[in-house]
């Protein structure tokens, strides 16, 4: 799985909002805290607002806040809001792929890949990630000897 810059910025921005929840944060405050370009962040926040993940308040005391408590928003929800489906194969959903001959079983593998990604990003909330209290199955994945090795 490849996380886009847009996806990474979105997760970082909502983590800042989760830490401040329910208070408002300005775009400038988030950009400064996360060291990201403000204009790009504004576009990401617009996507998150359209998806109902954040709320915007105008005015001198305005800014952004999460639309729901951090424990109710998963990382997968944020990633989908800015990048679309989590796993695609040449623009198709895994279950939409079809192959002949030796590759006929490949769609099953693509579906399994998507399911594995979902087991991580759809089962970790902003609150858990912001606090560092990750679910047990995530901690076990991180603790595997090969987890931190590049391949």
């Amino acid at each position: 799985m490849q996380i886009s810059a847009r996806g990474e910025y979105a997760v970082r921005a909502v983590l800042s909002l989760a830490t401040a929840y329910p208070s408002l944060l300005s775009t400038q405050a988030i950009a400064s805290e996360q060291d990201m370009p403000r204009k790009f962040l504004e576009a990401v926040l617009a996507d998150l607002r359209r998806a109902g993940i954040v709320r915007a308040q105008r005015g001198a005391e305005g800014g952004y806040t999460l639309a729901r408590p951090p424990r109710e928003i998963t990382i997968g929800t944020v990633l989908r809001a800015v990048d679309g489906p989590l796993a695609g194969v040449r623009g198709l959903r895994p279950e939409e792929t079809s192959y002949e001959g030796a590759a006929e079983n490949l769609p099953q593998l693509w579906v399994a890949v998507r399911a594995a990604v979902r087991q991580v990003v759809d089962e970790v909330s902003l609150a858990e990630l912001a606090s560092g209290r990750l679910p047990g199955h995530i901690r076990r994945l991180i603790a595997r000897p090969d987890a931190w090795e590049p391949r």
Side-chain angles (χ1 to χ4, degrees), residues 11-57:
V11 172
R12 290 168 54 199
V14 294
L15 285 170
S16 289
L17 293 171
T19 302
Y21 185 80
S23 299
L24 297 168
L25 288 180
S26 69
T27 305
Q28 185 57 47
I30 298 168
S32 294
E33 177 187 324
Q34 293 297 324
D35 191 27
M36 57 179 72
R38 188 170 154 223
K39 286 293 185 192
F40 191 54
L41 174 61
E42 288 172 352
V44 168
L45 287 169
D47 287 343
L48 294 170
R49 185 180 49 75
R50 281 189 291 279
I53 295 170
V54 302
R55 283 189 300 110
Q57 181 175 313

Side-chain angles (χ1 to χ4, degrees), residues 35-133:
D35 191 27
M36 57 179 72
R38 188 170 154 223
K39 286 293 185 192
F40 191 54
L41 174 61
E42 288 172 352
V44 168
L45 287 169
D47 287 343
L48 294 170
R49 185 180 49 75
R50 281 189 291 279
I53 295 170
V54 302
R55 283 189 300 110
Q57 181 175 313
R58 296 179 187 261
E61 300 298 316
Y64 288 87
T65 189
L66 296 176
R68 299 184 312 275
R71 71 182 177 282
E72 295 178 12
I73 302 170
T74 67
I75 302 305
T77 301
V78 174
L79 291 172
R80 283 185 196 90
V82 297
D83 283 338
L86 294 174
V89 181
R90 297 174 36 164
L92 297 173
R93 293 180 182 271
E95 70 276 8
E96 295 172 337
T97 61
S98 176
Y99 306 95
E100 301 283 327
E104 71 180 324
N105 296 312
L106 198 49
Q108 294 174 43
L109 182 69
W110 298 151
V111 169
V113 167
R114 180 180 60 192
V117 170
R118 285 177 176 172
Q119 281 186 325
V120 175
V121 298
D122 285 342
E123 296 182 21
V124 176
S125 72
L126 295 178
E128 291 167 323
L129 189 54
S131 71
R133 291 189 295 267

